[in-house]
Amino acid sequence: MNELMKKRTGSKDIVNLGDEVNQTITLTNRSEYEITNIQIKDTFSEGVNFKANSIVIDGASYTGYNPINGFTLPSSIKVGSSATITYRIIIDSTTTKESFAIVSAVTYTFDTTTVTENSDTYTMELPNGDITVEMTVDKLVATKNDEIQYTIKVSNIGNLRNTAVTITDPMPDGTSFVEKSVIVNNTSQPTYNPATGFSVGNIDPNSSATASFKVKLI
């Protein structure tokens, strides 16, 4: 078990180019000894820049400290106590990257042992509202007057909530829409018509909405 708990958080998970993001590292002594000589050195992925002179340790500002170069905490951490380090990073306004990561290497001494351990990795992403649309049909072969049911699955594969998602599907030649046949997320919607469009609501990241309707071959 690690003797020093290392928790990293940030003020934003979804970021825009040029954003400033607060970073917080909380170190908690879970050992039976006072932890001394605590050094922090961070690794930033491409597209992340440190905002100079923004480091604050337990409420006190430390001008000139830089997490990329590494620094030593001014005080030890007693048993059961914590230290909090904050600073700001800036997302490069010219980067072509879409995701970013920061991890800390923390070196410290307890009893007579010196160890180096990594914090958890903090990740950020640019906004992404991507969706996928999959359409299936219940019959591959049909004849005149047959009814065919189409099912459309809209999946949110991005990191933003998609709001007011609308499906519009004009009837192909040789078919007519079967009225009152639309079902959205297992709920019948008798007034909906795919030719004029209808809403399937909001879709959260890693979620999907499903709509089905019937057409008749004429």
Side-chain angles (χ1 to χ4, degrees):
M1 183 179 73
N2 292 342
E3 302 297 338
L4 186 66
M5 180 183 292
K6 300 163 289 298
K7 182 178 181 180
R8 174 180 278 280
T9 58
S11 58
K12 293 181 181 180
D13 297 327
I14 309 300
V15 297
N16 294 298
L17 298 182
D19 273 1
E20 289 191 9
V21 183
N22 294 324
Q23 296 290 302
T24 300
I25 307 167
T26 304
L27 305 176
T28 302
N29 184 352
R30 303 186 301 182
S31 76
E32 299 177 354
Y33 305 92
E34 183 174 359
I35 289 180
T36 62
N37 192 31
I38 305 163
Q39 303 168 45
I40 294 176
K41 185 176 176 64
D42 287 358
T43 300
F44 292 1
S45 65
E46 183 181 343
V48 179
N49 300 313
F50 170 62
K51 185 174 182 179
N53 301 322
S54 64
I55 286 185
V56 175
I57 302 174
D58 290 333
S61 179
Y62 286 83
T63 301
Y65 276 29
N66 186 317
I68 299 175
N69 298 333
F71 59 88
T72 300
L73 267 61
S75 302
S76 60
I77 304 178
K78 297 186 182 300
V79 176
S81 297
S82 299
T84 301
I85 303 98
T86 65
Y87 62 83
R88 284 178 161 263
I89 56 99
I90 302 172
I91 304 299
D92 193 330
S93 60
T94 63
T95 185
T96 58
K97 297 294 184 180
E98 297 182 353
S99 62
F100 314 93
I102 302 176
V103 64
S104 298
V106 183
T107 301
Y108 61 94
T109 300
F110 68 99
D111 193 13
T112 59
T113 303
T114 298
V115 297
T116 299
E117 299 165 342
N118 286 341
S119 70
D120 52 335
T121 300
Y122 184 75
T123 58
M124 297 158 284
E125 296 178 317
L126 294 182
N128 179 356
D130 286 352
I131 63 170
T132 60
V133 180
E134 178 185 6
M135 174 177 278
T136 56
V137 63
D138 67 340
K139 292 180 181 179
L140 297 179
V141 179
T143 59
K144 186 177 179 179
N145 295 321
D146 278 355
E147 289 187 356
I148 300 173
Q149 179 170 286
Y150 287 95
T151 300
I152 301 172
K153 182 178 181 180
V154 183
S155 300
N156 183 348
I157 59 173
N159 54 33
L160 299 177
R161 189 184 203 201
N162 292 321
T163 59
V165 179
T166 300
I167 292 176
T168 303
D169 191 1
M171 294 299 99
D173 292 341
T175 66
S176 64
F177 170 61
V178 178
E179 294 185 1
K180 301 182 180 180
S181 67
V182 174
I183 298 173
V184 177
N185 296 326
N186 298 316
T187 300
S188 176
Q189 301 291 350
T191 63
Y192 284 9
N193 187 321
T196 56
F198 56 84
S199 172
V200 295
N202 303 324
I203 307 178
D204 291 324
N206 301 312
S207 299
S208 61
T210 302
S212 65
F213 59 89
K214 294 180 179 180
V215 300
K216 185 176 182 180
L217 297 186
I218 57 177

